C-alpha cells in the first residue's frame, strides 16, 4: 500500500492513489504546455484555454489552477474584447451535510438500510405473486394441452394413431360394402 505522502501533488493531498496519479499526469501535461506556450500571444493562450475546457483535459485541482492562470491572463488582456469562458468544475463537493464525518456515515448507513428493507420486501412480495401467477399459467397450459383434441407435443402420437385407425376402419367398412355389392352383382348375373 502506498504512503499517503505519495498522494501529494503540487501542494494538493489527494484521497486516493488513482486521483494522485491523475494529478501527476495533468502536471506533466501542464509542464509540456508551458514549455511551448507563449504567454504574450493572446490567440495561443485563448486557443489552449478553450481547447482544455471543451475537451475536459483537466479534472483535478492541479489542472484547475493552470486553467485559472490562463483565465487571468486572458482577462487582463487588452486585445481581447470578450471575457473568457468560465471554468467548469465536474466534481461534487456538497455531499457532506455535517461537520463530523463519523456521524454522517452512521446516519447515512441507517437511512438506506430502512429504505432498502422496504424495497426488498416490496420486490420480494412482487416476485412471489408473479411466480404464483406463472405457476398457475403453466399448470393451465399443461391441462389444456393434455385434455384438448388438437395435437400437441404431449398427445400428438395418440391422436394420429386414432385418426389412422378411424380411416382404416372406414376403409374396411367400405371395402366390405363393395364386396357385398360385387357378390350380389355376380350372384345375379350367374342366375
Amino acid at each position: 500500500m502506498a504512503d499517503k505522502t505519495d498522494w501529494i501533488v503540487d501542494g494538493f493531498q489527494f484521497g486516493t492513489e488513482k486521483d494522485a496519479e491523475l494529478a501527476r499526469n495533468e502536471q506533466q501535461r501542464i509542464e509540456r504546455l508551458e514549455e511551448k506556450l507563449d504567454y504574450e500571444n493572446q490567440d495561443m493562450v485563448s486557443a489552449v484555454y478553450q481547447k482544455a475546457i471543451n475537451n475536459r483535459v483537466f479534472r483535478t485541482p492541479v489542472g484547475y489552477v493552470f486553467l485559472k492562470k490562463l483565465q487571468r491572463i486572458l482577462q487582463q488582456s487588452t486585445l481581447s474584447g470578450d471575457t473568457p469562458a468560465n471554468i467548469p468544475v465536474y466534481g461534487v463537493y456538497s455531499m457532506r451535510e455535517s461537520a463530523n464525518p463519523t456521524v454522517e456515515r452512521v446516519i447515512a448507513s441507517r437511512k438506506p438500510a430502512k429504505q432498502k428493507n422496504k424495497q426488498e420486501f416490496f420486490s420480494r412480495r412482487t416476485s412471489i405473486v408473479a411466480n404464483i401467477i406463472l405457476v398457475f399459467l403453466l399448470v393451465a397450459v399443461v391441462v389444456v394441452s393434455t385434455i384438448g383434441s388438437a395435437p400437441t407435443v404431449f398427445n400428438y402420437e395418440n391422436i394420429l394413431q386414432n385418426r389412422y385407425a378411424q380411416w382404416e376402419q372406414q376403409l374396411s367398412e367400405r371395402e366390405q360394402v363393395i364386396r357385398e355389392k360385387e357378390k350380389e352383382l355376380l350372384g345375379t348375373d350367374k342366375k
Side-chain angles (χ1 to χ4, degrees), residues 15-72:
T16 65
E17 187 174 357
K18 187 177 179 182
D19 289 344
E21 185 63 32
L22 181 64
R24 278 190 212 94
N25 291 340
E26 286 186 5
Q27 187 177 31
Q28 291 173 354
R29 205 174 299 139
I30 291 167
E31 289 170 358
R32 285 192 301 259
L33 278 172
E34 285 186 329
E35 289 174 3
K36 298 176 184 177
L37 187 63
D38 178 16
Y39 288 105
E40 300 299 319
N41 185 347
Q42 295 300 316
D43 292 332
M44 182 185 278
V45 172
S46 178
V48 168
Y49 180 75
Q50 287 301 322
K51 189 160 188 153
I53 287 176
N54 292 339
N55 295 339
R56 294 183 178 183
V57 174
F58 300 112
R59 298 183 311 217
T60 67
V62 173
Y64 290 147
V65 168
F66 177 69
L67 286 175
K68 189 63 179 173
K69 178 181 176 182
L70 294 180
Q71 187 184 51
R72 283 192 186 124

Side-chain angles (χ1 to χ4, degrees), residues 110-122:
R110 286 183 184 170
K111 286 180 183 176
K114 290 180 182 177
Q115 292 173 350
K116 188 176 180 182
N117 287 340
K118 287 180 183 176
Q119 290 173 348
E120 284 180 14
F121 175 74
F122 177 73

Side-chain angles (χ1 to χ4, degrees), residues 95 124 155:
M95 292 181 70
R124 191 176 299 148
N155 62 358

Side-chain angles (χ1 to χ4, degrees), residues 158-184:
N158 291 335
I159 289 177
L160 289 177
Q161 286 175 353
N162 290 341
R163 280 188 190 167
Y164 287 129
Q166 284 177 346
W167 291 344
E168 188 176 344
Q169 185 179 1
Q170 287 174 354
L171 284 175
S172 296
E173 288 173 1
R174 286 183 185 174
E175 221 173 87
Q176 186 67 30
V177 169
I178 290 173
R179 284 188 187 146
E180 288 175 5
K181 292 282 184 182
E182 280 179 354
K183 283 182 184 179
E184 281 180 17

